[in-house]
Amino acid sequence: MQGCGQPQAPPSRAGAVDVPLYRAADVDAHPEVDGEELRRVVKGQRSPLAALDPKPEVASA
């Protein structure tokens, strides 16, 4: 078997960035999000979602 017992290097993360993921329902319900503006974002352009707090404070009753 080729490659059997050979150590594998972990995948490279060179140039990778961590970004928060948003559910569509959360984006639609967010008061600061303009859906039309999001649809106009093109590849390589910074998303307006980047300016949002990924974990907004929940108002307590």
Side-chain angles (χ1 to χ4, degrees):
M1 258 191 258
Q2 183 180 11
C4 183
Q6 297 292 329
Q8 296 278 330
S12 172
R13 288 189 39 92
V17 295
D18 292 325
V19 295
L21 299 179
Y22 296 92
R23 296 181 310 165
D26 293 336
V27 171
D28 292 340
H30 200 291
E32 296 178 41
V33 173
D34 177 3
E36 292 301 316
E37 182 181 6
L38 286 176
R39 288 178 187 84
R40 290 190 299 265
V41 175
V42 295
K43 183 178 180 179
Q45 182 181 359
R46 187 168 178 86
S47 170
L49 296 177
L52 299 179
D53 183 3
K55 296 183 181 179
E57 295 296 321
V58 178
S60 57

